[in-house]
Amino acid sequence: KRVDFELPGGNYPVSDSMYRVEVRGIRGSFSDSLVTIDSIAYMPNYNEPAFADIHKYNQGRWELVCSGIIIRGIDFTKQLTDGGLRARVCEAASWYLDYYRDLRKPNNPHPPDAVLPHTIINSIKTPITLDSIIFNNGTIRHQERDPGSTHASLLTITHARVIAHPFCTDTSSLLYSEPLRLSLNALFMGQGKMVATIIYPIHQKQFDLHFAATIGPFDVPVLNSYLITNERKEITKGKCLGGELRMDVKAGHGITTVTPRYEDVSLNVMATDAKQSRGILEGIKTFVANSFVLRTNNVDNGNSKAVSGTTTSIYSSKEEFFQFIWLALRKSLGKVVGF
């Protein structure tokens, strides 16, 4: 005899009142050892302008939605007797992650300590073991609104498939000592194919991380959606042929190496004020940048290999997880490109 159940879901406020968790359409089957959920969302309670207005200082705004979730291979017997969750796989048909920060607001001179993902995971008291987590067809959008800009910058990762294993907070499980291993396949700015692997020890106090990725060809001017707004520079031409990056973090000390391969890159220096047109000064800066600062080509040529940029970064307790990674990658990339 089949035993199925259905729950309505609901909205659950988060303690700081800035966010809520929404759960929709929970259905399950004890007979099939599975649960399906229409959607789970971590949603801000305010739109982007209102969120920025509420805060005295600039603050990152996050929005995460996962849809079409299926949890298979659930051990309902263990769940009912011991509590917690034990399942073979948790899979989402689609998902998106939006990040927005309004930099027109000043930086907090005394920011609170940021909380890293592994610290959050270690705070989970409920024993959870998921052999694997699969997120299909995802979209990541990163936006920042700089002072003087007319609109927010935009970087995107689309068609993202993420596989993570194992996820375990059950101290009695043999999987508890294993690091979280993630793989990512996606498109960067709708063009460059990304393949990445991440190894993240989530059950320790110190911050360790290994990140390695390759990226396929894309047209460099697609970066203008970020560069014009945030850097006041415009790429006029150029082709990225591909590249590799590697980051190793040990106890918060990071070493990052990037090797972008590109050719025929040139740029325009824009007026500092987004509402002003380029003038003579910007023309002079453009000439100097293209002639003496910018590395316009970086390719393998016979015995000469493309230049790599290696830099070090020390994690600050005030930095958010993705902020630390982004700044480290940008620092190494700037060492190669010239800005």
Side-chain angles (χ1 to χ4, degrees), residues 11-317:
N11 295 339
Y12 307 94
V14 178
S15 58
D16 64 1
S17 77
M18 291 291 107
Y19 292 88
R20 67 188 183 277
V21 175
E22 295 181 355
V23 183
R24 297 287 181 266
I26 305 172
R27 291 170 291 277
S29 170
F30 288 99
S31 305
D32 297 331
S33 301
L34 67 79
V35 168
T36 65
I37 305 171
D38 289 345
S39 65
I40 297 178
Y42 180 73
M43 301 288 292
N45 290 324
Y46 303 92
N47 62 24
E48 293 167 353
F51 188 91
D53 288 342
I54 288 172
H55 293 88
K56 181 178 180 181
Y57 304 109
N58 68 65
Q59 179 79 31
R61 176 186 182 273
W62 298 87
E63 183 174 334
L64 173 64
V65 179
C66 299
S67 302
I69 301 165
I70 302 178
I71 307 174
R72 299 186 181 91
I74 301 174
D75 187 344
F76 281 113
T77 301
K78 180 177 178 60
Q79 185 173 358
L80 292 173
T81 56
D82 302 333
L85 172 64
R86 174 73 172 87
R88 190 174 66 254
V89 60
C90 174
E91 185 166 4
S94 63
W95 59 282
Y96 73 82
L97 174 65
D98 276 2
Y99 175 82
Y100 177 85
R101 196 179 196 104
D102 195 331
L103 298 175
R104 293 174 297 177
K105 286 292 187 77
N107 292 325
N108 188 342
H110 306 289
D113 286 349
V115 182
L116 293 172
H118 71 277
T119 304
I120 297 173
I121 292 171
N122 280 321
S123 70
I124 298 174
K125 304 303 181 184
T126 303
I128 300 172
T129 301
L130 298 172
D131 293 343
S132 62
I133 300 172
I134 303 172
F135 282 8
N136 298 298
N137 195 29
T139 297
I140 301 173
R141 296 183 354 132
H142 178 282
Q143 298 182 89
E144 290 180 341
R145 182 76 187 270
D146 259 31
S149 62
T150 58
H151 58 277
S153 65
L154 177 65
L155 292 172
T156 64
I157 295 174
T158 56
H159 300 88
R161 188 171 197 257
V162 177
I163 300 176
H165 66 90
F167 181 88
C168 181
T169 65
D170 185 352
T171 56
S172 67
S173 171
L174 294 175
L175 296 176
Y176 185 78
S177 60
E178 294 291 320
L180 184 65
R181 300 175 184 272
L182 301 98
S183 64
L184 166 69
N185 283 268
L187 288 180
F188 175 67
M189 301 300 286
Q191 294 186 13
K193 180 176 174 57
M194 290 182 62
V195 179
T197 58
I198 301 169
I199 300 174
Y200 189 10
I202 57 175
H203 296 301
Q204 58 184 38
K205 287 188 176 181
Q206 73 177 34
F207 176 28
D208 293 352
L209 184 75
H210 170 75
F211 176 36
T214 61
I215 188 166
F218 64 89
D219 298 322
V220 182
V222 300
L223 299 177
N224 284 334
S225 61
Y226 172 82
L227 293 173
I228 291 176
T229 299
N230 285 41
E231 303 289 342
R232 300 305 297 151
K233 296 179 178 68
E234 177 188 25
I235 301 294
T236 55
K237 66 175 182 176
K239 181 73 175 181
C240 177
L241 307 177
E244 301 87 37
L245 64 89
R246 179 186 177 98
M247 171 183 279
D248 288 290
V249 182
K250 188 70 173 177
H253 185 278
I255 300 176
T256 305
T257 299
V258 299
T259 310
R261 295 176 177 83
Y262 58 86
E263 57 187 6
D264 298 327
V265 172
S266 64
L267 60 78
N268 284 333
V269 177
M270 313 295 288
T272 303
D273 188 339
K275 298 178 182 179
Q276 299 292 324
S277 301
R278 295 177 72 245
I280 296 176
L281 180 60
E282 287 73 36
I284 294 173
K285 289 180 178 179
T286 296
F287 172 77
V288 172
N290 287 319
S291 301
F292 306 109
V293 179
L294 178 68
R295 191 189 303 274
T296 57
N297 292 279
N298 192 48
V299 295
D300 297 330
N301 187 9
N303 294 328
S304 177
K305 297 297 183 181
V307 173
S308 298
T310 299
T311 60
T312 59
S313 302
I314 306 298
Y315 173 73
S316 163
S317 62

